Amino acid sequence: MEDTRGPTDYTGWTKEALIARLQDLERQTSSSAAPDASEVAPDVPGETPDVSGETPDVPQDEPETPRKRKVQVDRFDFSQFPQRKVAFKFSYFGWPYHGLARQGSALESDCKRQIEELYPTVEGELLRALARCKLIISESECDYSRCGRTDRGVSGFGQVVSLYVRSTGRFLSEEEAAEIAASGAAESALVVRDEINGGRPVLLPPPERELPYATMLNKHLPAEIRILAWSPVRADFSARFSCRSRFYRYFFSEEGLDIGAMREAAKKFLGAHDFRNFCRLDPAKQIQNFERAVLAVDINPVVPQVSFVGDAASPMGRWWQLELRGTAFLWHQVRCMMAVLFAVGQGLEDPDIVDKMLDVKAMSGKPEYEMACETPLVLADSAYDEADIKWRFVRCPGRDLGNMAQLDRAVSQLWGTLNTQAVLASALLQNLRSTHVPVLVEAGAAVAGEPVTDLWANCHAQLVQAEQRKMARPILGGGIVRFAKNYVPLAQRRRADPVEQRNQTWLERKGPGKRAKSDHP
């Protein structure tokens, strides 16, 4: 029976080799039956068969029929392995990706897979790595949950997901399970029955004997995404709903900002408030409750534990961070909060603008303003009860530091690359600032001889001072500055319609079907 193989790339073949190949195919067609469909390799999500079609080295004078490459048939049988529920703590830099959340069933739908390839996401990369390591059967069968969703460009240092993955444990017979339970041995605590395992008893290994999940996944993940640790969790654990608080950091330079005023304004966010004027509203979600609790907030200097902070003698080189902890956050809430804090720091707004915007009765509609840049924002940590999570950063505590060494090496290499790029940009800027350019003269003034020159650094400083006298330069973080000829205070700007009105307008536009769905969630 003919062996079914993947397509071959004939673009590099010689004329003689192609003729010989056609003759061979004609002989096979006349003497062989069609192949049995059962022999065709199945399409396994996340796995790419070897169909590279490398051109063989065929001599010009003696053309040979090139040998076809076999399609690798995936014979991995998940039914032979039990699954256990775990949580992964991982980090990622957000700027190469279109957000954290995957594009639907990115591994199971051809359409979604194409979208994921065009607009890659962090979860898409993570799920592909899980599939390549044969840790999940499919993304729809692993009870996947994420702690928090971050938008395009936002990074995470303490993101958490929970799901079922393959384990080195073994299935037990009912007799074996009963014997272990009756013995009262320590391993009786490792016997579990999960629905995902068909209710069969499973003896899980202790964490130090489990698969090296972090090492396995990091081999298949891009450098910007790193698995930091993993933890066994209960069957009812949810990375989202079991989370007690989320901790964000927003990094910014001191240049042009009054840190004291920003601190005074930031403290006003502390406690439970209605943050509808500090978020982006999506009427399709029909959110009614905008109250969120800020547990802690402050603005502190970035401690230079690693030599990445600039010249502390210059305001541009002094870096600060907003540190914000809360139970949950609305869409774009932190970036909106930060945009208002920047306006306060520049003296464009008084600190009490926060109080005015939190008073939703007096300011029922959100004023129009631009959010702060997404790049400096980081989901720094996610907090859980100690009884729920016991993070394992190394495989064997006290005897193994391999995973941490690999992590440090990978992140140091990435930092070195990014730092080199920053130094090159700094060197180019230094070259520009040290260039001599002709000094501007007043209109109509006579220029005798050669024009007077000065360093561009001095001319640039004069231009900036002139611009500041003529127009405002609102800072949005991440090096982004806007120019506004006339700055309009937030309290005097045009406002959006109240939330209730916008939600109702959306429902009326979508029709009675959507209204019924909203009334009966």
Side-chain angles (χ1 to χ4, degrees):
M1 185 172 292
E2 183 181 342
D3 190 10
T4 303
R5 301 175 175 87
T8 305
D9 183 7
Y10 295 102
T11 56
W13 287 32
T14 64
K15 178 180 178 181
E16 291 78 9
L18 289 171
I19 293 174
R21 175 62 173 150
L22 287 172
Q23 292 173 345
D24 180 63
L25 288 174
E26 289 177 352
R27 287 194 298 271
Q28 294 182 21
T29 303
S30 60
S31 61
S32 302
D36 189 342
S38 64
E39 295 183 6
V40 179
D43 182 16
V44 181
E47 290 295 307
T48 304
D50 186 2
V51 289
S52 57
E54 296 181 359
T55 304
D57 186 11
V58 181
Q60 294 286 338
D61 52 346
E62 296 183 6
E64 296 181 3
T65 302
R67 300 181 64 182
K68 294 182 290 184
R69 298 178 64 88
K70 293 184 178 181
V71 174
Q72 296 180 353
V73 180
D74 183 13
R75 303 188 183 280
F76 192 87
D77 187 2
F78 271 99
S79 65
Q80 300 299 314
F81 300 91
Q83 300 180 61
R84 76 182 303 167
K85 195 164 192 182
V86 302
F88 289 129
K89 184 175 187 177
F90 63 102
S91 66
Y92 53 91
F93 292 112
W95 49 82
Y97 300 102
H98 291 257
L100 168 73
R102 63 196 183 280
Q103 307 291 345
S105 300
L107 301 183
E108 300 172 17
S109 165
D110 290 338
C111 177
K112 295 295 185 181
R113 190 181 301 125
Q114 292 175 3
I115 296 176
E116 181 68 35
E117 291 174 356
L118 292 173
Y119 306 101
T121 63
V122 176
E123 281 186 348
E125 296 289 354
L126 177 60
L127 288 165
R128 271 196 292 270
L130 287 163
R132 289 168 184 158
C133 294
K134 305 297 183 187
L135 292 178
I136 60 172
I137 300 175
S138 68
E139 56 187 296
S140 61
E141 299 179 67
C142 62
D143 193 24
Y144 185 89
S145 171
R146 74 176 75 92
C147 170
R149 180 170 180 164
T150 56
D151 297 309
R152 177 179 178 177
V154 178
S155 300
F157 294 168
Q159 183 65 266
V160 175
V161 296
S162 60
L163 70 164
Y164 277 95
V165 293
R166 175 169 59 91
S167 170
T168 58
R170 64 184 181 89
F171 289 110
L172 299 175
S173 65
E174 293 296 340
E175 292 76 11
E176 289 177 312
E179 289 178 4
I180 293 176
S183 67
E187 65 179 5
S188 62
L190 298 174
V191 177
V192 298
R193 292 176 185 266
D194 287 342
E195 182 179 348
I196 200 166
N197 290 314
R200 299 168 61 186
V202 173
L203 177 61
L204 296 174
E208 62 271 12
R209 296 183 183 177
E210 188 53 276
L211 291 170
Y213 293 124
T215 302
M216 293 171 64
L217 290 170
N218 283 335
K219 289 180 179 178
H220 294 277
L221 286 169
E224 297 86 3
I225 306 173
R226 296 287 93 182
I227 303 295
L228 304 177
W230 76 278
S231 172
V233 295
R234 302 187 316 272
D236 61 349
F237 177 87
S238 168
R240 177 184 179 186
F241 296 109
S242 299
C243 183
R244 292 293 175 255
S245 66
R246 295 157 177 88
F247 181 54
Y248 281 91
R249 282 194 171 107
Y250 193 100
F251 295 86
F252 60 94
S253 169
E254 182 184 319
E255 186 179 26
L257 297 171
D258 182 345
I259 302 300
M262 293 178 70
R263 273 202 183 112
E264 180 183 348
K267 292 295 184 182
K268 298 178 181 295
F269 290 123
L270 192 63
H273 301 283
D274 189 316
F275 283 94
R276 67 182 63 195
N277 291 327
F278 291 93
C279 72
R280 182 177 177 181
L281 176 66
D282 182 4
K285 295 182 179 179
Q286 292 292 292
I287 297 177
Q288 305 294 332
N289 180 17
F290 291 85
E291 184 173 297
R292 298 294 185 271
V294 172
L295 305 178
V297 59
D298 204 353
I299 295 178
N300 293 311
V302 175
V303 180
Q305 295 176 342
V306 184
S307 57
F308 65 90
V309 181
D311 181 11
S314 167
M316 182 181 293
R318 289 195 292 269
W319 283 79
W320 297 78
Q321 56 190 346
L322 171 73
E323 297 181 328
L324 185 66
R325 184 179 296 278
T327 53
F329 293 89
L330 296 164
W331 190 20
H332 291 162
Q333 178 181 336
V334 181
R335 291 172 61 188
C336 288
M337 294 167 64
M338 201 64 218
V340 175
L341 291 179
F342 278 141
V344 172
Q346 288 186 268
L348 301 174
E349 300 283 350
D350 293 328
D352 63 2
I353 185 60
V354 174
D355 294 322
K356 295 177 181 179
M357 294 179 68
L358 290 175
D359 185 356
V360 296
K361 291 183 179 180
M363 190 179 290
S364 58
K366 177 186 174 184
E368 295 182 350
Y369 62 93
E370 188 174 357
M371 296 183 297
C373 175
E374 69 278 4
T375 306
L377 180 59
V378 177
L379 175 58
D381 198 13
S382 308
Y384 296 86
D385 290 339
E386 293 185 4
D388 289 341
I389 289 280
K390 291 181 174 57
W391 293 119
R392 302 187 65 86
F393 291 88
V394 296
R395 190 173 188 185
C396 298
R399 300 192 302 274
D400 173 31
L401 293 175
N403 183 52
M404 291 300 295
Q406 293 172 6
L407 280 173
D408 190 278
R409 184 163 52 248
V411 177
S412 295
Q413 182 176 354
L414 183 60
W415 173 81
T417 300
L418 296 174
N419 196 41
T420 301
Q421 295 172 352
V423 169
L424 289 176
S426 177
L428 175 58
L429 187 60
Q430 182 64 29
N431 287 345
L432 292 175
R433 298 289 170 88
S434 60
T435 301
H436 281 77
V437 297
V439 176
L440 295 177
V441 296
E442 295 182 1
V447 178
E450 292 294 328
V452 178
T453 63
D454 194 3
L455 288 176
W456 167 242
N458 298 331
C459 297
H460 176 264
Q462 295 174 5
L463 286 177
V464 170
Q465 292 176 0
E467 289 175 349
Q468 290 176 342
R469 289 192 295 268
K470 295 179 180 178
M471 62 181 66
R473 303 173 73 246
I475 295 173
L476 295 176
I480 298 177
V481 177
R482 298 289 186 235
F483 294 88
K485 188 172 184 180
N486 297 308
Y487 180 83
V488 179
L490 290 171
Q492 301 175 16
R493 295 188 187 183
R494 185 172 61 181
R495 301 176 188 175
D497 293 330
V499 169
E500 295 79 8
Q501 182 177 339
R502 295 178 65 185
N503 284 343
Q504 184 63 29
T505 301
W506 184 89
L507 285 175
E508 292 175 354
R509 189 173 67 249
K510 290 299 179 179
K514 291 291 184 180
R515 289 199 296 272
K517 184 177 180 181
S518 176
D519 294 338
H520 303 283

